[in-house]
Amino acid sequence: MDIFRTVNGRVRGRRTAPDVVAVLGIPYAAPPFGADRFNAPRPATPWQGVRECVGYGPVVPQSAELPGAPMWSPGDEDVLNLNVWTAGNAVGKRPVLVWIHGGAYTFGSSAQPDFDGTALVRAGLVVVTLNYRLGFEGFGHIPGSDRPDNRGLLDQIAALEWVRDNIASFGGDPANVTVAGQSAGAASVACLTVMERARGLFHRAVAHSAVGPVYPPQLAADTTRLVADAAGVPATADGLTAASPYDLVHASDQVVARLREDPAAGARHYDPVLYGPVADGESLPADPLAADAADRADVDLLVCHTTEEYWLMDAVGSSKKITTDGQLGAFARDFGLPDDLVPAYRALLPDAPVLDLYLAIYGDMSFAEYSGRLAERHAGAGRRTYLSRFARRRVMESGVVRPWHCADVPFVFGTLDVPELAFLIGGPPSADDHELSRRMVRAWADFAATGDPGWQPLGADGEADTVRIWGTEDAYDGGAYDAFRAAWRGVDYTAVHP
């Protein structure tokens, strides 16, 4: 029978295939509302009998429309829930992969169709996906109060504690846990590697398209004042608690809209992301790039980024369009980029229009460079680290489908055939796409099982014997720096404005 025992009570899942059981919507912590709002997560309340876990649990308050998952509403507040995909409880101790979704710390859920764990279970894993607090609820800074920063990260730690205490009942090995994520989820993974409270809860880490930087408390406090003003409440714990979760969601959306229209907003004018981890010196000691190497978790790390990340943001209209040299120069100044960076990209892309130069620089600054430096920092601390890049392109009659942000996720989950993902990959997958997906699923499964995805790790000096290039015809690059990364080599990344 597909019944599993947890510390809070028994749960029943459903067979999604003859060899796979999905147990969905299991509470791993108490609802973070009422007296628990803006506080660290508390344990979930035990239940009697068998809890039916055959559908996804509610997702946290957000303005995104997410098919397939119920939204939060009063009376349906178990938003701190997770899902387990397993071959069953009698298959022995399997490696465990815990997935943290992305979404700019503002939207997304574990119910997204690309995160189905079936293919990874068939590759030998137990897969866990989770919801955590987003937006102000999860990452809003409340000055002058005892409400902790980084509540979304604390939720992720609570989910990892649940895995430690329960995953053996699902056939998983609590002594062999890999935490993985993409975009904001990957940056969360990076933060977990330097958080003391997360120490020992996972043994390997996967970061796809990690985004930086972490916010300093002052910038987070400035955001709080903007959001509180838009919500019409004081920027205090009492004032913000008086606003409903959706009041703060709508207020945050208003602030984003204003920043988009205000050139004086500087770096936040281009693609405003209000929330992110706060380097408060307590829950999160520092940005993972700045953290003392001696304080990093002793875990293996697998890093990947796509080669044309920001073209997705342009395609979906979340990023300001830059089409003139004057606009490109203002962009570089607003982000504090060195004078020689734009000319370096012009030399690398001599025939590219200004928009493409802008997207290349913005994507590399936000994702590729942060990912590369994260890998180098981890390797420099003596930890085993692997670097890869996703470069699969597809030429269509309508144009080129690029290796843009999120395009790699269906490949590593083996969910290419999901109709809702056709936009990301450019329509129905080809036979070559399926073969690439099989190789990427295998690399993840092998890394989770043994720490070796199938190519050489970075050296302790950050240089690589091999960087895996994922494409329909895979390749290997002889060093950690491609021509575009070389343009950033002398840039002080900590001086780049968020």
Side-chain angles (χ1 to χ4, degrees):
M1 296 182 65
D2 300 326
I3 296 177
F4 306 86
R5 186 175 299 278
T6 77
V7 294
N8 289 318
R10 291 178 294 163
V11 294
R12 190 197 325 267
R14 61 182 173 87
R15 290 268 164 181
T16 58
D19 54 344
V20 179
V21 182
V23 193
L24 308 175
I26 308 171
Y28 67 83
F33 303 108
D36 289 331
R37 195 170 174 210
F38 303 139
N39 282 316
R42 289 192 307 103
T45 301
W47 56 84
Q48 300 296 317
V50 177
R51 184 178 184 122
E52 298 295 330
C53 292
V54 296
Y56 290 106
V59 302
V60 301
Q62 56 187 282
S63 56
E65 295 182 6
L66 300 173
M71 304 301 286
W72 169 84
S73 62
D76 189 18
E77 299 181 336
D78 271 322
V79 298
L80 299 185
N81 58 70
L82 54 76
N83 318 295
V84 181
W85 277 267
T86 175
N89 55 13
V91 295
K93 291 185 176 181
R94 287 187 164 203
V96 180
L97 186 134
V98 179
W99 175 254
I100 301 173
H101 70 78
Y105 307 101
T106 304
F107 57 88
S109 90
S110 63
Q112 292 171 226
D114 31 347
F115 306 153
D116 184 289
T118 298
L120 289 166
V121 168
R122 288 173 173 163
L125 305 182
V126 172
V127 178
V128 178
T129 64
L130 62 103
N131 291 336
Y132 57 100
R133 278 175 283 184
L134 301 170
F136 197 93
E137 302 297 317
F139 294 94
H141 175 66
I142 306 178
S145 80
D146 60 356
R147 309 300 172 91
D149 287 322
N150 303 309
R151 295 175 293 276
L153 297 179
L154 298 179
D155 293 344
Q156 295 165 14
I157 291 172
L160 288 167
E161 291 171 338
W162 184 96
V163 168
R164 177 197 61 198
D165 297 339
N166 294 280
I167 205 64
S169 297
F170 297 82
D173 183 358
N176 192 6
V177 174
T178 296
V179 61
Q182 186 264 349
S183 194
S188 296
V189 168
C191 289
L192 293 173
T193 67
V194 298
M195 294 176 70
E196 184 61 34
R197 290 187 60 172
R199 201 63 52 91
L201 294 175
F202 59 96
H203 311 89
R204 299 184 181 94
V206 177
H208 274 232
S209 299
V211 60
V214 165
Y215 292 167
Q218 185 54 56
L219 178 60
D222 291 344
T223 297
T224 297
R225 284 189 285 273
L226 292 173
V227 172
D229 182 65
V233 298
T236 63
D238 288 344
L240 292 159
T241 302
S244 75
Y246 276 112
D247 287 339
L248 297 184
V249 168
H250 298 321
S252 299
D253 289 345
Q254 292 175 39
V255 172
V256 166
R258 292 171 189 168
L259 291 173
R260 287 187 192 280
E261 299 302 319
D262 182 10
R268 285 187 154 188
H269 171 54
Y270 297 89
D271 188 1
V273 175
L274 294 187
Y275 301 110
V278 179
D280 61 356
E282 296 179 13
S283 61
L284 179 62
D287 188 301
L289 292 190
D292 188 330
D295 291 337
R296 304 186 71 83
D298 188 9
V299 299
D300 302 328
L301 176 64
L302 171 58
V303 174
C304 184
H305 65 84
T306 72
T307 55
E308 297 179 83
E309 297 269 4
Y310 236 79
W311 269 262
L312 177 70
M313 284 63 169
D314 181 64
V316 300
S318 72
S319 177
K320 179 177 175 61
K321 282 192 180 293
I322 298 297
T323 58
T324 69
D325 289 335
Q327 291 174 325
L328 185 60
F331 163 79
R333 289 190 297 274
D334 284 341
F335 278 90
L337 301 178
D339 293 340
D340 60 353
L341 191 71
V342 171
Y345 271 73
R346 286 192 186 280
L348 290 165
L349 300 167
D351 299 322
V354 169
L355 177 61
D356 283 5
L357 291 175
Y358 159 70
L359 295 173
I361 293 170
Y362 207 167
D364 287 353
M365 175 181 65
S366 299
F367 299 101
E369 191 60 19
Y370 191 86
S371 295
R373 295 194 182 200
L374 177 67
E376 293 153 12
R377 166 70 76 170
H378 203 75
R383 315 303 194 237
R384 188 163 55 166
T385 308
Y386 300 87
L387 183 60
S388 58
R389 302 188 183 100
F390 182 82
R392 176 263 193 192
R393 275 177 158 229
R394 188 173 189 180
V395 179
M396 311 284 288
E397 289 186 5
S398 58
V400 176
V401 178
R402 298 174 183 269
W404 53 22
H405 195 60
C406 299
D408 51 337
V409 175
F411 285 85
V412 290
F413 272 89
T415 51
L416 296 180
D417 292 314
V418 174
E420 295 93 328
L421 305 180
F423 168 73
L424 277 182
I425 66 171
S430 67
D432 286 342
D433 290 332
H434 279 296
E435 177 57 31
L436 172 59
S437 178
R438 282 190 287 271
R439 294 195 299 274
M440 295 186 75
V441 167
R442 187 72 264 156
W444 262 28
D446 289 346
F447 179 74
T450 68
D452 183 356
W455 62 94
Q456 293 297 311
L458 294 180
D461 59 358
E463 293 294 334
D465 294 322
T466 303
V467 176
R468 185 64 179 261
I469 309 298
W470 294 112
T472 49
E473 294 183 4
D474 293 348
Y476 295 96
D477 182 68
Y481 283 87
D482 63 9
F484 292 93
R485 285 217 63 210
W488 293 87
R489 200 159 200 170
V491 176
D492 178 5
Y493 197 85
T494 60
V496 176
H497 302 305

